[in-house]
Amino acid sequence: MISEYTKNDLSYILNVINDAALKYKGVIPESCWKEPYMPKQELISEFENDLRMFGYDKNNTLVAVMGIQEVEDVTLIRHAYTFSDYHGMGIGKLLLQYLFKINTSSSLLVGTWKDATWAIRFYMKNGFVLHTRKQTNLLLERYWRVPLKQVENSVVLEKQVYQSNISKV
């Protein structure tokens, strides 16, 4: 079941994020890795910057999370993680499809590490297009607040959402 989670659920959300993020250890630059991968205060700050977090609950346990953040004219997909024991079960796809349904902007952007090939494949299989290096840098500068080292090691993918403005008679 998919539900929205709030700051009141920090420990559950962080449990998923920090478990799933272990997959990035040794893949992303060592200077970008930290433990825990997402500290509590960082997630609190994200919520204070209008992050909405959704999660997938299986047998009363939160096993996956995926957030959205509306910035200017786009929606960013933020912090998409699935417990390592639940990878490959389609839960990430279910969350992503849910976000497609509730999205109100015409463009969805997601940033990820350039060496996280599994994540890039996942988004491309779900209709996202990989931006060029130049476009990635411009988008990261405009819509995200990340350190330069992260910009250098990230990619941005985009999905255009074509919403019909034609009303049926």
Side-chain angles (χ1 to χ4, degrees):
M1 170 163 53
I2 296 174
S3 304
E4 187 163 1
Y5 287 76
T6 68
K7 275 200 291 192
N8 295 334
D9 305 303
L10 282 175
S11 62
Y12 302 110
I13 297 166
L14 288 168
N15 194 30
V16 173
I17 291 173
N18 290 320
D19 170 83
L22 291 172
K23 190 169 186 173
Y24 294 98
K25 192 173 185 176
V27 175
I28 65 173
E30 195 172 310
S31 62
C32 295
W33 178 257
K34 59 188 184 280
E35 288 193 37
Y37 186 74
M38 179 174 284
K40 181 179 181 180
Q41 190 55 50
E42 186 177 335
L43 185 57
I44 290 170
S45 177
E46 293 283 8
F47 274 108
E48 289 169 353
N49 286 305
D50 300 321
L51 173 73
R52 292 181 66 199
M53 185 65 77
F54 297 87
Y56 186 91
D57 180 291
K58 186 170 178 79
N59 300 324
N60 295 318
T61 301
L62 181 63
V63 299
V65 295
M66 192 175 291
I68 56 172
Q69 182 181 27
E70 293 181 13
V71 179
E72 297 177 29
D73 57 336
V74 301
T75 299
L76 305 179
I77 294 180
R78 306 291 313 277
H79 312 302
Y81 295 96
T82 302
F83 256 137
S84 53
D85 290 348
Y86 293 87
H87 284 181
M89 295 181 168
I91 295 169
K93 184 176 181 175
L94 289 173
L95 275 168
L96 191 58
Q97 289 171 339
Y98 182 81
L99 296 184
F100 291 165
K101 287 179 190 169
I102 67 167
N103 174 52
T104 59
S105 73
S106 62
S107 186
L108 286 161
L109 297 174
V110 62
T112 191
W113 298 100
K114 69 180 181 182
D115 291 334
T117 55
W118 65 90
I120 295 168
R121 274 193 312 271
F122 169 77
Y123 290 110
M124 291 180 79
K125 274 177 42 178
N126 285 284
F128 286 76
V129 176
L130 185 63
H131 277 291
T132 66
R133 175 83 263 149
K134 183 177 179 182
Q135 292 167 319
T136 288
N137 290 347
L138 292 171
L139 291 166
L140 287 170
E141 183 179 314
R142 179 171 180 181
Y143 296 112
W144 280 270
R145 288 184 215 124
V146 293
L148 180 59
K149 188 71 171 174
Q150 189 171 345
V151 170
E152 293 168 353
N153 288 282
S154 294
V155 295
V156 173
L157 298 97
E158 182 171 6
K159 181 175 177 72
Q160 292 290 321
V161 182
Y162 301 101
Q163 298 168 335
S164 173
N165 292 328
I166 302 169
S167 54
K168 296 183 179 181
V169 180

